[in-house]
Amino acid sequence: MESFLFQATIYLGAAVIAVPFAARMGLGSVLGYLAAGIFIGPITGLVGTETQDLQHFAEFGVVMMLFLIGLELEPRVLWNMRDRLIGLGGLQITVTTTLIMGGAMAMGYAWNVAFAIGMIFALSSTAIVLQTLSEKGLMQTNGGRSTFSVLLTQDIAVIPMLAILPLLAITATATIAPDGSLVRTADHEDAHHAMSLVDGLPGWGVTLVTLGAVAAVILTGIFLTRPVFRYIHHARLREMYTALALLMVVSIAVLMSLVGLSPALGTFLAGVVLANSEFRHELESDLEPFKGLLLGLFFITVGAGIDFGLFFREPVFILSLTVGVMLIKGIVLYGLSVLFKIKGKDRWLFALGLAQAGEFGFILISFSGQQGVLSPGLSSQLLLIVALSMLITPLLFIIYEIASRRITDGHDMADDDVDEQGTVIIAGIGRFGQIVNRLVQSAGFSTVVIDNDLSTVQMMRTFGFKGYFGDPTRPDLLKAAGLDDARVLVVAIDDKKMANTLVTYARKTRPDLHIIARARDRVHAYELNAAGANDIVRELFDSSLRAGRYALENLGLSEFEANEAETFFYEHDRAAIRELSAFWKPGVALRDNADYVARAKELNNDLETALAEKQQSGEETRDAKKRRGGR
């Protein structure tokens, strides 16, 4: 136990020191994590062989990241991206694999080994690239979206790659274990697949079991998620949502492993299935902290696991191979950017951002070694090349930033953000919020609705309106719902304290955001005004005005006169609210605030006087009309 706590202290301490320093230097968090791993591993030796075991655990960060990516992609969005996924992403994988395979064969490797090497280096680092793009605000650019499309295609391509690699193992090979014993490939397979649902099955049986596992993930996401969430919701315990989110990711990863598929791709599929669910933002918020921490741990283990001994024995050879791989990928990416009309800064972002090898390369190298496709010595070299290319990647982004300052025809952020300019976030979807949501949507604007009442959200979905379950005051949930890009926030929450908290946070986070808030009463209106709301609507005020107008019409006033009286009263009341806000004192009852009461009486007298004068003026106008009509 003491050893585990000591190791945890080393990893966390290194991250806490290195990552903020790297971020302040403008190097990005990924380079900070890698540097921390290098320091505690190869440089100081504070951690040892346990890093490899820890890396398998840390790979759940990649698994969670792909689940969260899937949550952001509705099936309709994936279909709309088909041209980039199949064209841009498919060509990148095919051309890169072919060129690197040719280079490996030129170096004397057999075709099957060269093919495996080509597939390994065709992949890029989803973890590093997406995190860096998000940190630097480049995800919404054309280059960022093109980069994401290629990464998504690569992640999906891991499934057929894992299926192809066993076919490349022409014969079972024998290797020398560290203890000097002779170990055959089959022994590795038995050790690796101690638990499997497909071992010993014929080819058609493996196919059926694999398809059944994929179908189980899809059907569970469609039919079982909502009943389970309803069950958890009744417990009213915040930690149960986190436990359920972790259970979903871990169980899907286990199932995919049992049938020989990539756990990351299985969770990605589950995320896509749940992209239309009302629990999407809740899942995002629950898993985001774990994803970030595990991804950071993954990068630390990558840095700590770099074999600098092998590097220093053959530094020129290893560096040449690393640069060669990145150069080949960069040329392919640049050519595709020209073919697909990616221009200016976006072209360089696309070419430099994807030039490295990726974390799935570690998985493919390990799996290839287990299948006897790669020898242990070659596997060590490939692992080092992958790690070095990932280590260089943050520096490539720095080079991109320097070069992009000299390019004038870069990406147009305004054009790229057009889709987000109509976004309206509605917090609370009771009777008030429903009307706002329907009106805004009917005018052609998109809305994101969040409410912490599960039954209300489910009822909305029954009638075809999309909504998400979760606490609207949580900053991480608001960020997932698009607070950074929204134009309008409508606060329609029943709870006064929650509404005030939400308005205060939103105003602090987005000074330019237009906030419309529902007030329970006049005092609540003062509180919301102090919190920073732009427009405040008392929940019964407008309906009471309409009722009063109907009363005036039935008392003999014409529709025009009643409407004039209603409008005059409305404008006077809004002006009074603004003026009386200066006299309002938090925590002091209105009746105990002498200055407030005195000014309120004056304003009320002014209103009565103005209404009387307006009524008298109206009567004189009517009499004049009658006299003119009589003549």
Side-chain angles (χ1 to χ4, degrees):
M1 181 64 179
E2 290 78 6
S3 175
F4 170 77
L5 292 176
F6 178 70
Q7 293 295 328
T9 302
I10 291 174
Y11 281 102
L12 294 175
V16 168
I17 293 172
V19 175
F21 177 77
R24 292 184 64 180
M25 295 295 292
L27 303 178
S29 63
V30 174
L31 187 58
Y33 283 120
L34 291 172
I38 293 172
F39 179 78
I40 64 177
I43 294 179
T44 62
L46 294 175
V47 296
T49 57
E50 78 282 351
T51 300
Q52 296 180 353
D53 297 329
L54 187 60
Q55 191 172 74
H56 294 305
F57 172 73
E59 284 172 359
F60 265 101
V62 181
V63 171
M64 289 184 179
M65 180 181 66
L66 283 175
F67 180 73
L68 294 175
I69 291 173
L71 285 176
E72 296 290 341
L73 292 174
E74 301 178 14
R76 175 181 54 81
V77 176
L78 278 177
W79 177 252
N80 293 336
M81 293 173 61
R82 63 189 182 278
D83 293 337
R84 287 185 179 269
L85 292 176
I86 299 173
L88 191 59
L91 280 175
Q92 183 274 326
I93 294 172
T94 303
V95 176
T96 305
T97 300
T98 302
L99 291 177
I100 293 180
M101 178 182 176
M105 292 179 68
M107 294 175 65
Y109 291 106
W111 73 268
N112 59 320
V113 175
F115 188 25
I117 294 173
M119 289 191 295
I120 290 168
F121 287 129
L123 304 176
S124 303
S125 176
T126 303
I128 290 180
V129 176
L130 287 187
Q131 185 159 337
T132 306
L133 289 177
S134 298
E135 286 181 357
K136 298 182 180 298
L138 297 171
M139 276 298 293
Q140 295 302 319
T141 66
N142 186 33
R145 290 199 296 266
S146 299
T147 300
F148 174 75
S149 300
V150 172
L151 288 172
L152 185 56
T153 306
Q154 291 176 357
D155 295 339
I156 296 172
V158 172
I159 293 179
M161 287 180 179
L162 289 171
I164 291 172
L165 284 174
L167 303 178
L168 301 179
I170 298 176
T171 58
T173 58
T175 58
I176 304 298
D179 60 1
S181 61
L182 191 67
V183 181
R184 293 187 177 275
T185 300
D187 298 331
H188 284 290
E189 292 179 3
D190 292 340
H192 183 70
H193 296 294
M195 294 179 60
S196 176
L197 296 177
V198 296
D199 278 354
L201 294 178
W204 61 268
V206 173
T207 301
L208 287 178
V209 172
T210 302
L211 292 176
V214 173
V217 170
I218 295 174
L219 294 175
T220 299
I222 294 174
F223 296 108
L224 191 59
T225 305
R226 289 182 176 87
V228 172
F229 258 98
R230 281 197 295 267
Y231 173 75
I232 294 295
H233 178 66
H234 292 308
R236 300 289 180 180
L237 294 174
R238 184 76 197 87
E239 61 272 19
M240 285 297 99
Y241 293 109
T242 304
L244 178 59
L246 291 173
L247 175 63
M248 291 173 62
V249 173
V250 173
S251 59
I252 292 170
V254 170
L255 177 61
M256 293 296 103
S257 298
L258 290 177
V259 298
L261 293 179
S262 165
L265 268 296
T267 51
F268 169 76
L269 178 62
V272 172
V273 173
L274 294 172
N276 280 318
S277 167
E278 60 266 36
F279 310 110
R280 166 186 155 191
H281 290 307
E282 185 73 22
L283 288 168
E284 286 180 330
S285 301
D286 289 333
L287 292 177
E288 187 68 33
F290 295 96
K291 186 265 292 185
L293 187 60
L294 288 174
L295 270 182
L297 184 61
F298 174 79
F299 294 133
I300 292 177
T301 60
V302 169
I306 294 178
D307 187 356
F308 280 96
L310 174 60
F311 174 76
F312 288 122
R313 286 194 298 272
E314 303 175 298
V316 176
F317 178 69
I318 296 297
L319 274 177
S320 298
L321 289 179
T322 304
V323 174
V325 167
M326 299 183 74
L327 188 60
I328 290 173
K329 294 189 71 174
I331 292 173
V332 171
L333 292 163
Y334 190 88
L336 290 175
S337 69
V338 174
L339 181 63
F340 283 81
K341 296 181 173 56
I342 303 172
K343 301 178 181 179
K345 296 178 183 179
D346 294 314
R347 177 176 296 174
W348 289 104
L349 174 63
F350 180 70
L352 292 174
L354 293 171
Q356 78 293 119
E359 55 277 342
F360 281 121
F362 295 119
I363 298 172
L364 293 183
I365 292 170
S366 176
F367 189 63
S368 299
Q370 294 158 9
Q371 299 298 317
V373 180
L374 303 178
S375 66
L378 179 57
S379 295
S380 297
Q381 287 183 348
L382 297 180
L383 286 171
L384 181 57
I385 293 171
V386 172
L388 286 176
S389 71
M390 294 173 69
L391 188 63
I392 294 171
T393 300
L395 300 178
L396 292 181
F397 277 100
I398 295 174
I399 295 173
Y400 157 75
E401 290 181 343
I402 295 173
S404 65
R405 298 190 188 109
R406 302 182 180 181
I407 302 175
T408 57
D409 58 341
H411 39 247
D412 188 343
M413 293 299 292
D415 291 341
D416 289 328
D417 288 336
V418 168
D419 292 340
E420 299 295 331
Q421 291 185 359
T423 301
V424 178
I425 299 177
I426 300 177
I429 194 63
R431 292 170 297 177
F432 187 95
Q434 286 178 26
I435 298 298
V436 176
N437 182 50
R438 290 170 61 189
L439 176 60
V440 172
Q441 285 191 346
S442 67
F445 295 95
S446 62
T447 62
V448 178
V449 177
I450 310 173
D451 198 296
N452 60 355
D453 189 323
L454 183 60
S455 60
T456 301
V457 174
Q458 290 174 335
M459 182 185 70
M460 273 187 64
R461 296 181 68 86
T462 302
F463 289 95
F465 293 98
K466 192 173 182 180
Y468 299 103
F469 168 74
D471 183 355
T473 64
R474 288 176 54 187
D476 51 353
L477 194 60
L478 288 169
K479 184 175 180 63
L483 181 64
D484 292 340
D485 300 313
R487 293 179 61 189
V488 177
L489 170 65
V490 179
V491 181
I493 307 173
D494 286 331
D495 189 288
K496 293 171 61 176
K497 185 177 180 180
M498 287 179 63
N500 296 342
T501 301
L502 176 53
V503 172
T504 302
Y505 173 78
R507 176 55 64 220
K508 181 180 179 181
T509 306
R510 284 280 310 279
D512 61 320
L513 182 65
H514 193 93
I515 302 175
I516 303 169
R518 162 197 176 189
R520 294 290 300 272
D521 49 37
R522 185 176 287 265
V523 173
H524 191 206
Y526 297 145
E527 294 172 350
L528 292 170
N529 181 71
N534 298 97
D535 294 314
I536 301 169
V537 181
R538 278 175 283 159
E539 58 185 19
L540 297 178
F541 181 70
D542 288 328
S543 56
S544 301
L545 281 180
R546 177 167 293 191
R549 191 183 78 190
Y550 292 155
L552 293 177
E553 291 175 2
N554 283 274
L555 289 172
L557 271 65
S558 66
E559 290 186 10
F560 174 78
E561 292 170 334
N563 181 69
E564 284 286 297
E566 177 190 7
T567 302
F568 185 83
F569 185 92
Y570 169 79
E571 292 174 351
H572 181 277
D573 187 83
R574 288 194 65 179
I577 286 287
R578 288 192 295 269
E579 184 170 346
L580 290 172
S581 293
F583 294 89
W584 172 71
K585 298 177 182 178
V588 178
L590 296 183
R591 63 176 178 272
D592 297 330
N593 186 337
D595 294 335
Y596 178 92
V597 172
R599 185 55 185 151
K601 287 181 177 180
E602 292 175 1
L603 290 173
N604 190 54
N605 291 334
D606 293 342
L607 173 63
E608 292 179 356
T609 301
L611 285 174
E613 292 176 352
K614 192 172 185 63
Q615 183 178 4
Q616 182 178 0
S617 175
E619 291 175 352
E620 291 175 352
T621 301
R622 287 197 300 272
D623 292 340
K625 288 181 178 180
K626 288 179 180 179
R627 287 194 297 270
R628 287 196 300 269
R631 290 196 297 268

